[in-house]
Every structure is written in C-alpha cells, then in structure tokens.
Amino acid sequence: MAEYLSPGVYIEEIDAGPRPIAGVSTSTAGMAGVTVRGPYTGKPKLVTNFLEFQNTFGGFLPEPDALVRDTWANDPREGGRWWLFPLAVKGFFDNGGQRLYVKRVASRQATPASEVMGHGLVSPVAGDAAKGATRLELGHLIGFSGVGQQIQIFRGDDQQVIHTAGVAAYDATAHRVELDAALTAEVRTGRGDYVQVGERSAEETLEFTAVSPGSWGGGVQVRIQPMASAALPVLPDPQEGGLFVTRLTADATADSEMVEVAAVAGLDPDDLPGDLWVQIGSGRFKVQAGQPADGKVALTLPSGTAHEAWRNGLVVRRVRRGNTSAGPTLRIGGASRLYEGAVVQLDDGTALTIRSVRSIAADVVTLDANVPGTLFETDRLHLVEAQVDARFTEPSGTVVTETHRNLRLTGEAPANLVTTLADRSRLVRATALAALSTDPAKFPVPAVGSWLTLADGDDAYGSLSVADFVGEDGGSGKRTGIAALEDIDEVAVCAVPGMWSGTVESALVTHCELLRDRFAILDPQDGLDIEGVQAFREPFDTKYAALYHPWLVARDPSTGRDVELPPSGHMAGIYARVDVERGVHKAPANAVIRGIRLTDGIAQDITKRHQDLLNPKGINALRFFPGMGHRVWGARTLSSDSSWKYVNVRRLFLYLEESIDEGTQWVVFEPNDEALWALVRQTVTNFLTTVWRSGALAGTTPEEAFFVACDRTTMTEDDLANGRLICAIGVAPVFPAEFVIFRIQQKTRETQLA
C-alpha cells in the first residue's frame, strides 16, 4: 500500500484488468537422429531451413556398410533405417515446416578427429611471385629478425624447398621482404606455399580436436600463426622538446650534404639537441642545425648520407625520439591495450625485435630487456597474439571457413586461445599439452606444411544402439537422444524418423506423456503388409501419438536414386503447414504430401478396402488419388479412448493447456480472493473467445463453445487454506468430418405431390 507522508503529487500505476493470453506455437518440431556432424552435447539446435541444417549438421548420410545396414534394417523389433534422417528433415521443410530443433544422435564409442602440433615459425605466402623475382609478400613478419636473416621457401603441395635466400630489406607494415637472391622457381599462394624460419620441433604444444565425433573431422584443417593485433604509437621522450614543421627553400641534389629550410617556431639550434632527427620525403635523417640567417636555417647531413633528389617546398618535419638513453622503458600510446606478459615486436628499420611486457604504469611500459636501438614517434609497437584459421571441406567440395583473431596463448582471460575456440568455433577445439611459449619463433605449427589436417575420427556406427536414441537425462543442457528434447519447451511435435524400434518409440511416447505439451509421430517398419502394420500397432495405446503407413518414395539427391523414406518427417511438416494455414484445430489430413515422386510416391498402394481395416485401429493411411495426388487420408491417434481418437482434438487441447499455463503464470502468489478469481475468469474467457472465433470450437455462441468457472463453487475452504486456486474450464472441440454421408433416394415429382 502506498504511503502518503508529506504533501505533494503522487503518480500511481494501476492494473488495467485481465492480462491477455498469447497462444503458443504448435508448429515447432523436435527430432533426434544421426547426422554427418554437428553438436552432440548441449541442447538441441534450431534450424529454420534445410540449408541451415546442412551447414550445421552436414548433408545426406551414405548407407552404412552391409553388416551394419542389415543388422538394423532386418530387425523387426529394435531396428530402423537411421541413415535416412537427413532425408526426413528435408521432407519436413518440403512440406511446410519452418522451425525444427535437431538433437544429434551418435554412438558412445564415436571419437572425434584430432592431431597434435609441434612448434616453429612459418609465414604463408600472400602473393604470387614469378621465377627471378626478388620481392615476396607474406602473411606476416612476426618473429622475423630483419635484414640478413636466412629463410626457406616451401611448396605447399609436396612440402619441397623451392628457394633459400637472405632478407636484404623488409617492410613490416606491408608484410614484404626483399631477397638477396632471385627466386629459382615461381611461388604461388593458391598452392599453399610458405616461408619457414629456422627449424621445426616435434615437441607437442597444442592438440586440435574436431568439435564433435565422427569421421567428418578428417576434412578439417587448422592453421595457427602469430599476428599483430594492435599497432601502438611510440610517444616522444619528454626531454625531446617541441615539434616543428618547415619546408625546403631550394632544390637539393642527391649528393647534397646540406639543405636550407625556412625558419619556423621551434627550429632554434640553441633549444634543440645536437642529434636532431628530421623526416624529409620518405627518409629519416640525423642532422645538425645552423643558426638562422635571412629567415633560413641550414641543416647539415652526415658525410656520405645517401638520399634522393629533393625539390624546393618539400615538407621537412622533426621526428622526436622515444628513447634518449638505453633502458627497458618506452612511453606508448594506448598502453592500456597491453597486459603483463604480452609479447610485442619492435622495428627500428633494419631489425625486428621481440620483447615481452613486464609492467604498465599509465603510458609507461617496461619491457623484459632494453629497447634495441633508437625508436621514434613515427614507429609502432606491435602487440603479438595468435590467429587461428580453420576450414572444413564438405564432400560436395564446398569449403566452410572460420577465422579467430587476437587470441592469447597464455593466461585465463576470455581471449585465451583455448577458451575462445571452445566458445566460438563450430569446427575445432584446442587443448594445451604443455606451457605454450609466447615466443613467435616457437609458435605451434604442424610437423609439415602450414595447415594441420585432423585424422582418426570414427563414427562407430557398428556400436550404435537404441540406447543412444533414447538418451540419458543428465540435467538441462546435458541430456542426450530423445531426452534432450525436454530442454526445448517450444517443441509441439516430435519424431525419431526411420526408427521403428519398440524401445525408441516407447521412449518417445513416454516423453510426450510426461511433458503433456507435445505430440509424437511414429514410423512403422518399412515393407509391412496390412497384417504386419496392424500387428505393429497393437502394443500402443496413447492419445499422444499417431502412426502413418506406408513409407514414401523420394529421390536421394546425394546418390540420384529413389529411396523409401519414413513418413514421420514429411508428416511433421504437414502438421506445421496445416497449423499455419488453418490452425491446430484443423485435422492434418486430406493434405497433399510434397517432396516425393509424382508417380509411385507411396511405397505401397493402399485401397479403400485396406483402409477399412486400418482406420478403425488408428492407423492413418497415406494414399494416392487420381487427379488429387498423394494425400494424407487419416487423422486418428493411437488411443482406445474415443474422446481422444482424433489428432486435431488432442493437439487442440495441448495448445489450450499450454497457452493457458504460460499465460497465467502471473497469478501465482497473488492474493487468492474474489478479485483474483474474476481476473482469471476474464483472462481465460477472452482467450477462449478468440479461439472460438477462429473456428476451433463448436457452437454458434461463446456460451455453447466453452465455459469458465472460478469461484466458491470450484474451491472449498480446504483448497483456499492450502493455497489452491481452481479454475474449471470446459470446451467443445470441432471434430473432423471423417465420414461424409449423402443419403439419396429415388423420388419423383408426382410422388412428392401425393
């Protein structure tokens, strides 16, 4: 209750009345099945089209070897054709399905592909170079030492040495080196050619493993290389003084040792150090400044200094030093980007040097050793971290790639290489086998080449069992098989396409009966005759499942051959299509089956006489009608209770129950009195009125279609004392016109008049 303790204006928010109930989705499906690849642990993954399914879980599965195939396909009790699962998923989307949660099933004996890296330093060739060329473009120059360093160039296809040369010059920014000996053979980036510095070591550093088990991981390749993740400016030493910018006042030839520049503020020899550095054109030179005269200052270069010819008016600017004496400290702009232990590379123009950061205080960075040479404010300190590239080649030839940059090799930060791959990569995981060196010369590299190819992944189809499909309940996010579908509350229809195992289908039915918010679609064994499918149906009595017969025939795009497919995937898509187009109250029957052969799209021809036997037992027939195509010709559940014999009636009540459940959570812990009861009645009545107007309930008025009671007649004093609010709801569902009967008799006009 609001308190009014002092004079003033008070603004209060009041409840506007009953809260609306939003109808839940009924077209979201969940399936468990064997896939080529994809996440095996964690919650089921949502896919919204077949391309997304292929990107996440791979394409179509080949038939397993004859022994495995026959073991499963010939078992009438615990068998199945699980390798048809991707085709069933395609059938789901072909028939109008829009949202599907997929849980991958894999053998407990399945193992992921993996491989171990040694260490060394390689850099991929980033640009083609012809025979006789002396310039080479590389992926990076991290870890290189500079001029005079010897490097080896390897072919990427056969790992043979193409050329050995020394570095005559380099440009660290452009990742380019000039060789002291011309190439003796062409270099090609498309072939995977690379440069190696020094020798490799077989000492194990990192193990890369495919993200999920299976032989698919043999198509995964990984590359790790150092990268400059930040280029931070060197700040001038405070003792260097101010900056000046001037221009040449006369032309200067290439052999000139003295140039004249305009006198400007800050260009006073008395206030400048003796070793003054300036930038003229593209070069940096140490000069001596003379006294100003006639508005000009003479700058004298050391004897023998080589430079290009300069024209009058060329800009001349002072370049201040970052370190004026030997020591391990530098002032760095953006030093907060660094961290203790970070590896950095310094470049003084002729040599590249690696150092590590010991401490950071504001913009003062202390390194583990003295700064080599003299650095200037135009120089950059490069933060060295790792880049991991992974690629996977699909059987179709499509290549999936991913790149992860700015990774730390050590430390517990979120940017750690191992942690980042675990969180972001859809292809690989990494495990450090030893303390990783941050020295770029000891970066993890494969035994040969620059790419590591994973190997020895095993699908272990021979050890796949029905227990793998049933799954285990390890808690949220740790469930497997059918049990994992419990993690997704949105699932309204579920199936395990291709599996007729009694254990699996019983687990699926039990799953639906326990959660009471979803409906199962079961598959019979393929090839059953009318007597066989009736015998198959006998063990089931549930209002939470339906059975469809026979199997369907469609083209397998991966082989170009026709195959028989379980109907559950296509039927789940039809459920979703009818729900979206008409509503959950419409029976998913008399609907065209898409994604199958136009002729002979149903494995067995079901006639009316056959269906006379099947329909009373709750077996829904899939039939072909000339001029109408292939259609679903049945809408019954597997229940012996006549109240729940129709699929649409059962699913309508699931929809109503789940919608009311989710839409009235606000009622919990409210004061249990007449005011609350009135709100609940109005809330539910408003929702059911909307449902009635959609045609889902029978009756010409809302009063005929439903009733809602929540008052003293539905609750006793004992209920109130025990915190129970009881709302009684009755609805009149619309039953399908399963038997359309026209009664015709012969009657003439004269007979009518008589």
Side-chain angles (χ1 to χ4, degrees):
M1 180 118 184
E3 292 184 337
Y4 307 102
L5 303 179
S6 61
V9 177
Y10 295 86
I11 306 297
E12 297 179 357
E13 294 182 356
I14 61 173
D15 197 333
R19 305 184 188 183
I21 295 177
V24 298
S25 170
T26 59
S27 59
T28 302
M31 295 183 187
V34 177
T35 63
V36 174
R37 65 175 193 276
Y40 169 65
T41 58
K43 297 182 178 181
K45 297 297 181 182
L46 174 67
V47 292
T48 57
N49 55 63
F50 191 63
L51 177 60
E52 189 176 349
F53 171 81
Q54 289 178 301
N55 291 338
T56 304
F57 293 97
F60 303 104
L61 281 164
E63 279 194 359
D65 61 67
L67 178 60
V68 173
R69 182 192 65 221
D70 294 343
T71 299
W72 282 93
N74 296 332
D75 189 337
R77 296 183 178 179
E78 296 296 339
R81 293 182 179 270
W82 44 260
W83 51 92
L84 300 175
F85 178 71
L87 287 167
V89 171
K90 182 176 183 298
F92 170 79
F93 289 112
D94 286 345
N95 281 276
Q98 298 178 357
R99 294 178 300 278
L100 174 65
Y101 282 92
V102 176
K103 180 58 181 179
R104 183 187 177 195
V105 173
S107 168
R108 300 176 190 182
Q109 305 300 320
T111 55
S114 63
E115 197 57 78
V116 174
M117 284 193 168
H119 64 76
L121 178 61
V122 298
S123 181
V125 172
D128 295 346
K131 179 181 178 179
T134 58
R135 176 173 292 182
L136 204 57
E137 295 181 8
L138 302 179
H140 68 86
L141 296 185
I142 305 296
F144 285 56
S145 60
V147 175
Q149 182 178 33
Q150 292 294 307
I151 60 175
Q152 289 181 302
I153 306 170
F154 284 77
R155 289 169 56 101
D157 51 4
D158 58 11
Q159 314 305 321
Q160 297 299 310
V161 177
I162 297 175
H163 189 58
T164 300
V167 176
Y170 67 88
D171 184 336
T173 302
H175 303 166
R176 187 169 54 237
V177 296
E178 296 288 342
L179 305 178
D180 61 6
L183 292 172
T184 56
E186 67 173 346
V187 173
R188 298 208 308 265
T189 181
R191 190 171 56 195
D193 295 352
Y194 60 92
V195 165
Q196 179 174 311
V197 177
E199 300 297 327
R200 302 185 192 221
S201 170
E203 181 183 0
E204 296 182 347
T205 54
L206 269 179
E207 180 180 31
F208 282 97
T209 305
V211 72
S212 63
S215 59
W216 73 275
V220 175
Q221 292 183 305
V222 187
R223 178 178 66 187
I224 178 172
Q225 56 184 330
M227 65 166 292
S229 59
L232 307 177
V234 175
L235 301 178
D237 190 305
Q239 299 179 7
E240 282 287 87
L243 185 69
F244 66 78
V245 179
T246 183
R247 293 180 180 273
L248 295 180
T249 59
D251 292 344
T253 62
D255 58 356
S256 297
E257 294 184 357
M258 188 272 291
V259 295
E260 289 186 345
V261 298
V264 294
L267 181 51
D268 185 346
D270 294 334
D271 298 330
L272 293 172
D275 45 356
L276 177 68
W277 290 82
V278 295
Q279 183 86 25
I280 308 177
S282 59
R284 188 165 58 200
F285 304 93
K286 183 178 180 180
V287 298
Q288 292 286 338
Q291 290 296 329
D294 300 326
K296 300 177 182 179
V297 176
L299 301 180
T300 304
L301 285 72
S303 178
T305 300
H307 60 80
E308 58 188 355
W310 294 320
R311 297 185 62 81
N312 181 16
L314 184 66
V315 173
V316 178
R317 68 178 70 241
R318 182 185 180 189
V319 182
R320 294 170 293 182
R321 293 172 296 175
N323 54 325
T324 56
S325 59
T329 62
L330 279 175
R331 295 178 64 243
I332 301 295
S336 60
R337 179 71 174 80
L338 302 175
Y339 47 90
E340 290 186 15
V343 176
V344 296
Q345 180 166 270
L346 305 172
D347 180 9
D348 67 0
T350 60
L352 297 164
T353 306
I354 292 294
R355 292 284 186 266
S356 63
V357 175
R358 180 167 294 169
S359 64
I360 306 164
D363 59 4
V364 178
V365 177
T366 303
L367 306 176
D368 62 343
N370 286 348
V371 177
T374 300
L375 297 180
F376 298 86
E377 59 184 335
T378 54
D379 293 327
R380 295 290 183 270
L381 177 146
H382 295 277
L383 172 61
V384 178
E385 292 180 324
Q387 172 179 316
V388 173
D389 300 299
R391 63 189 183 191
F392 169 65
T393 304
E394 300 266 12
S396 63
T398 303
V399 179
V400 179
T401 63
E402 59 183 33
T403 297
H404 305 277
R405 297 182 175 89
N406 306 338
L407 307 179
R408 302 183 188 181
L409 286 181
T410 59
E412 301 298 328
N416 176 278
L417 182 148
V418 173
T419 303
T420 299
L421 293 183
D423 292 342
R424 301 180 186 174
S425 178
R426 298 176 62 183
L427 294 176
V428 295
R429 297 289 183 265
T431 303
L433 301 178
L436 298 179
S437 172
T438 53
D439 183 353
K442 295 182 179 180
F443 247 66
V445 295
V448 294
S450 57
W451 287 90
L452 178 73
T453 301
L454 307 189
D456 300 327
D458 186 8
D459 294 296
Y461 289 145
S463 62
L464 191 67
S465 69
V466 294
D468 296 316
F469 289 89
V470 173
E472 296 179 347
D473 189 348
S476 179
K478 297 180 181 179
R479 300 181 175 98
T480 59
I482 294 171
L485 298 179
E486 184 177 346
D487 288 329
I488 309 300
D489 184 59
E490 292 85 356
V491 169
V493 179
C494 50
V496 186
M499 291 299 296
W500 60 76
S501 160
T503 301
V504 173
E505 296 197 318
S506 177
L508 186 63
V509 169
T510 301
H511 170 79
C512 295
E513 291 178 337
L514 290 176
L515 296 183
R516 302 177 63 183
D517 64 355
R518 56 198 63 189
F519 191 82
I521 303 176
L522 307 183
D523 289 321
Q525 184 181 359
D526 64 328
L528 293 180
D529 57 19
I530 298 302
E531 291 77 13
V533 74
Q534 292 180 78
F536 181 88
R537 181 257 180 275
E538 290 301 327
F540 298 101
D541 185 2
T542 176
K543 58 186 177 182
Y544 287 93
L547 178 69
Y548 292 85
H549 173 78
W551 281 35
L552 306 171
V553 179
R555 181 61 59 95
D556 183 349
S558 64
T559 62
R561 297 182 300 176
D562 291 338
V563 294
E564 293 188 8
L565 299 179
S568 60
H570 293 69
M571 285 308 308
I574 291 173
Y575 278 34
R577 184 174 87 219
V578 172
D579 287 356
V580 171
E581 294 177 354
R582 298 288 301 278
V584 69
H585 63 281
K586 166 66 174 71
N590 199 3
V592 175
I593 307 172
R594 302 172 182 169
I596 59 176
R597 284 179 55 90
L598 292 179
T599 59
D600 302 324
I602 296 179
Q604 300 171 44
D605 186 20
I606 301 297
T607 67
K608 182 182 181 302
R609 292 188 179 184
H610 292 147
Q611 194 165 8
D612 288 344
L613 299 173
L614 301 180
N615 200 63
K617 294 188 176 182
I619 303 172
N620 300 312
L622 306 178
R623 297 180 59 184
F624 172 76
F625 296 92
M628 296 174 58
H630 302 92
R631 291 185 176 253
V632 182
W633 213 248
R636 294 202 174 191
T637 70
L638 292 173
S639 176
S640 61
D641 185 347
S642 60
S643 299
W644 302 106
K645 68 179 178 180
Y646 292 115
V647 170
N648 59 306
V649 173
R650 174 67 274 179
R651 297 187 65 235
L652 171 64
F653 273 78
L654 292 178
Y655 164 74
L656 296 177
E657 292 165 7
E658 185 72 2
S659 298
I660 294 172
D661 178 25
E662 294 187 6
T664 57
Q665 291 296 314
W666 59 271
V667 177
V668 181
F669 297 116
E670 290 292 310
N672 196 5
D673 56 14
E674 285 81 357
L676 179 64
W677 304 341
L679 278 177
V680 171
R681 283 196 305 271
Q682 191 61 49
T683 296
V684 177
T685 298
N686 291 346
F687 171 66
L688 292 180
T689 300
T690 302
V691 174
W692 168 70
R693 285 175 177 165
S694 72
L697 303 180
T700 57
T701 64
E703 290 74 18
E704 294 177 354
F706 64 86
F707 72 82
V708 180
C710 184
D711 49 34
R712 292 281 181 179
T713 65
T714 64
M715 290 169 280
T716 66
E717 289 299 327
D718 181 67
D719 291 324
L720 297 177
N722 285 283
R724 292 192 289 264
L725 184 153
I726 300 174
C727 181
I729 303 172
V731 298
V734 176
F735 293 95
E738 189 177 21
F739 308 102
V740 180
I741 303 168
F742 293 96
R743 289 177 175 161
I744 304 174
Q745 69 183 71
Q746 187 175 14
K747 203 165 191 179
T748 65
R749 183 172 178 271
E750 289 76 11
T751 304
Q752 290 177 334
L753 292 176

